[in-house]
Amino acid sequence: AALAAGKARKCAELAFGTGLAQTEAHTLGVKPMKESIFGIHAAALELRSQRMGLITSNIANAGTPGYKARDIDFAAALKARSEGLGSDRAAAKATQFRVPVMPSLDGNTVEMATEQTAFAENAMGYAATLSFIRGRAETITRALKGD
């Protein structure tokens, strides 16, 4: 229990960007979100990109017998990322197998309607996140120019 409490405290420190956490985060190769000029949006864009790859892999394997469709729980991945995990580890931690509504006889769990809906939802989120980042970059550019 004490080990779990210490680990939770360490994750909380990474999330808030304390001096100790920043040192440890840099040791782990993780840049605390507080230090990024794009904040949480940079992490969200990385995770949305990884989710897009997973969904397209599901679609590409729709005809592969025995293929198990997977997806990333975006909220869980973003939470893990904000706690200091790298984007690859956060995505891996939040990756889950889809439970099909109508199981296929060949064991494939890809359902095109579900995948297309998830793809469209993720694409909209990706575009919105990219818009936030673009706005932030434009604000910084205006500030540097003195407009």
Side-chain angles (χ1 to χ4, degrees):
L3 181 62
K7 187 174 181 179
R9 184 173 43 256
K10 194 175 292 185
C11 286
E13 290 172 350
L14 283 171
F16 289 111
T18 63
L20 176 62
Q22 287 175 358
T23 302
E24 185 167 333
H26 288 298
T27 303
L28 296 173
V30 176
K31 189 171 191 174
M33 282 190 220
K34 177 183 169 191
E35 291 182 25
S36 171
I37 61 172
F38 300 114
I40 197 166
H41 300 296
L45 194 65
E46 287 179 277
L47 292 171
R48 288 210 181 273
S49 177
Q50 289 178 336
R51 184 172 184 230
M52 190 70 71
L54 206 56
I55 294 169
T56 56
S57 178
N58 290 344
I59 292 170
N61 286 290
T64 305
Y67 182 81
K68 305 296 181 205
R70 297 175 298 154
D71 196 3
I72 295 173
D73 179 354
F74 182 75
L78 191 58
K79 183 175 188 268
R81 180 70 176 96
S82 69
E83 290 174 348
L85 287 180
S87 61
D88 289 338
R89 288 184 62 202
K93 182 178 177 181
T95 299
Q96 304 170 344
F97 288 100
R98 282 203 203 280
V99 178
V101 176
M102 291 183 58
S104 173
L105 293 176
D106 66 0
N108 187 308
T109 61
V110 176
E111 295 175 322
M112 286 305 286
T114 302
E115 299 304 326
Q116 289 169 338
T117 302
F119 185 89
E121 174 200 6
N122 195 61
M124 293 288 291
Y126 187 92
T129 302
L130 196 56
S131 178
F132 284 122
I133 290 174
R134 187 177 299 120
R136 180 71 175 152
E138 288 172 0
T139 300
I140 292 169
T141 302
R142 281 195 309 270
L144 291 173
K145 288 182 178 178
D147 291 344

